[in-house]
Amino acid sequence: MKVRTRHLFSMAMSLSLLLLPIRVWACACCAHPGEYQINFVKPDAYKLSVMERMRLGTTAYLFTGEAEPDDAAKGLAHPADTYLLSGSLVGNAWKLTFRNGDESGTLNLALPAKMLRYAADIHDGRTKPGYPEPVLYKEWRFEGEVKGTGVFKAGITARTKYVLVFQGRGNSCDGAEDFTHWQLKITGKKADYSFYGELSAPLPEKQNERTSCSTVTAGRAHTATS
């Protein structure tokens, strides 16, 4: 009888140990009411794999507010309200090509050494279906120097800067599917203009990205339970 009891106890402990990492993994990405995260982080291998899956939509909108395009875009040749857009992360730079009729130009945005990651409960009542946890508003922000050709060339001088922001919603862990919109601001001695638009559906997830995500999540769980 003692042997059987000991055996059942051993099985119960083993099952608990097997289930524990699953529970920890699930909670590592859970968002909580009042959550607020903002920090500078390196664009490591996992974040690069997420960015490589991102695809900007085919339309870029010039931000004009109440102004006409010619008045809203300093340093942009023959500005228009909308542009055809193509581009993605190539190596360690975003290469974005804008086209309006026969005119076009490319912006090269080199990735900085650190990016700003922001995620917060904005208290709008939006929650994950079937769960009480809030859906966080999140941003990935990149800043650095920009190079330009074509319609951008005349306005790009030394130390002209860019700010590129990806916007989305999700839990405490980041994935390409979370981000749905982008904003781009160019400023310099001869340049001052902004674009915005949507992100297309991301490319399929690679197996190595799935592994990296699990590693990152496990690290978050370890930190939370240490």
Side-chain angles (χ1 to χ4, degrees):
M1 184 67 178
K2 290 183 179 179
V3 174
R4 184 180 179 183
T5 302
R6 194 177 296 118
H7 178 68
L8 290 173
F9 177 78
S10 178
M11 288 181 62
M13 287 296 295
S14 299
L15 183 60
S16 297
L17 290 173
L18 287 171
L19 291 176
L20 180 60
I22 297 174
R23 293 193 184 111
V24 170
W25 187 91
C27 290
C29 289
C30 290
H32 301 280
E35 185 164 346
Y36 185 93
Q37 304 176 33
I38 184 167
N39 57 323
F40 284 97
V41 295
K42 292 182 179 180
D44 57 21
Y46 173 68
K47 293 180 181 64
L48 286 173
S49 71
V50 171
M51 286 185 276
E52 287 169 353
R53 294 181 56 211
M54 291 180 178
R55 287 295 180 269
L56 278 72
T58 57
T59 303
Y61 300 92
L62 178 69
F63 177 76
T64 60
E66 300 297 328
E68 294 296 323
D70 286 337
D71 299 321
K74 173 185 174 183
L76 175 60
H78 309 118
D81 289 314
T82 60
Y83 291 80
L84 291 176
L85 176 65
S86 62
S88 61
L89 186 69
V90 179
N92 286 321
W94 287 92
K95 296 185 182 294
L96 310 179
T97 298
F98 297 73
R99 182 175 297 278
N100 175 34
D102 295 331
E103 295 186 317
S104 66
T106 297
L107 293 174
N108 293 334
L109 318 174
L111 285 179
K114 289 190 176 182
M115 54 176 274
L116 182 69
R117 179 183 178 275
Y118 167 77
D121 173 14
I122 57 174
H123 310 286
D124 62 352
R126 185 171 169 180
T127 59
K128 182 178 178 180
Y131 295 86
E133 64 177 292
V135 179
L136 305 178
Y137 170 75
K138 55 178 62 180
E139 292 185 356
W140 280 9
R141 304 178 197 170
F142 304 86
E143 298 185 33
E145 294 194 6
V146 57
K147 295 181 179 179
T149 65
V151 296
F152 302 110
K153 186 175 181 179
I156 303 295
T157 60
R159 293 186 293 279
T160 300
K161 303 289 186 180
Y162 79 87
V163 177
L164 177 64
V165 183
F166 294 110
Q167 302 168 300
R169 303 294 292 263
N171 60 20
S172 290
C173 295
D174 296 329
E177 292 80 6
D178 294 341
F179 298 95
T180 56
H181 293 78
W182 61 271
Q183 299 268 350
L184 174 63
K185 176 74 173 177
I186 305 294
T187 54
K189 185 177 181 180
K190 294 184 177 182
D192 188 359
Y193 47 86
S194 300
F195 296 101
Y196 65 96
E198 297 182 357
L199 292 170
S200 299
L203 294 175
E205 187 177 20
K206 297 178 182 178
Q207 181 61 42
N208 61 347
E209 180 182 345
R210 208 172 283 127
T211 302
S212 299
C213 183
S214 298
T215 302
V216 171
T217 307
R220 289 174 57 86
H222 177 75
T223 302
T225 56
S226 295

